[in-house]
Amino acid sequence: MARRLLPSMQRQLFPLLCRLKHNHNITANPINELHIPVMATEVIDYLKPEPGKIFIDMTFGAGGHTKRILDHSPNTTVITLDRDQESYELAMDMKDDYPNRLIPMLGKFSELPDLLKAHGYGFASIDGILFDFGCSSMQFDQADRGFALSKNGPLDMRMDKDRIPGQPTAADVLAKIDEEDLARILKIYGEEKCAKKIARAIVDTRYSLRKIETTKELADLVNSCFNDNLRLDKLQRHAHNATKTFLALRIFVNDELNEINYGMLLAERFLKQNGRLVAITFHSLEDLIVKRHLMGNLLGNVANPIPLRYSSHALVQELEVINELKESSWQQLNKHVLVPTTEEIERNPRSRSAKFRAAVKE
């Protein structure tokens, strides 16, 4: 079942992760105080929270968007989902401030059906769903999570941290993967033009010197492949040479693109008719998946031809349930993608690459 859903490039990457797997009070929490939710005004404008309605914040993070929804309209209910244990604990703390209005859940998008079922929610039971994709601010801010180039720490990158036994860290990937597979991951997931050169340098270092176990070691090694050349991103800003490598590894370790694809399918099933969807993306691969779901440009259940690995056997049953979905039934609310205002970018620089899409389920 899972294999039949995979495009040709996906089949090439699918075995890699399988092989690697085998071998507080919230108002007093400094993380929450520093967190600024991206495009929060637009989230409220398009979700339109009203008393009695039920929403899912699929990416709770530090709770900024959830708090805005709960404060905006009394008697709304927000179900929060996050795969990160620390975010789940923040949601549990916030629950005390909003009695009987907040339902925290711990898990990935692909675990949502079982989590909702346990709380009595089925298909077509939700009024609005919010996605704010990518890493949360607090994950980037904590050196020991291994996401940030600017903070030296162990090369981890697991959004679930230790919640899922056997899930490989980024260091585990670099210690075991072969050069050709690594180059493919960097090229596809990171859109890295120097993928082969970087993969060769990583493998050579692994065999001749040492394993790469920290963010600084990886960043310095990738940087050495560029002969001190300055790199610019798509917005012509200066970017670290290792940014795309870090992005590619993070996506691979967390199976992010497949989770996004599956999350979009589930959103269509769990929303009521005329239910609202808001999705905030931060790089082109995320946005491509969201855009193609909203436009109905699907190949079976897959939004695009790049690898989207259905690697979890636990998904097979749910995939059978939604396998008949061939086209999405969304009415887009914003004809053109929205981006943060200049004022918001100045106030919160991390919002600068955000893209905002909203739609209604017909």
Side-chain angles (χ1 to χ4, degrees), residues 335-346:
K335 183 177 181 180
H336 301 290
V337 66
L338 303 182
V339 296
T341 63
T342 302
E343 293 76 19
E344 177 168 0
I345 293 173
E346 290 176 352

Side-chain angles (χ1 to χ4, degrees), residues 157 189-191 242-252 256 283 285-286:
M157 296 194 185
Y189 289 157
E191 300 178 304
T243 297
K244 293 183 176 182
T245 296
F246 272 63
L247 172 63
L249 285 173
R250 191 198 87 200
I251 289 174
F252 180 73
E256 288 182 45
H283 65 77
L285 298 182
E286 294 172 345

Side-chain angles (χ1 to χ4, degrees), residues 44 294 324:
I44 297 300
L294 296 184
E324 72 273 13

Side-chain angles (χ1 to χ4, degrees), residues 264-266 268-269 298-302 321-328:
M264 290 293 295
L265 289 170
L266 290 177
E268 187 168 20
R269 273 304 177 96
L298 304 178
L299 299 175
N301 284 326
V302 179
V321 171
I322 62 176
N323 191 40
E324 72 273 13
L325 286 176
K326 300 300 180 183
E327 296 180 359
S328 50

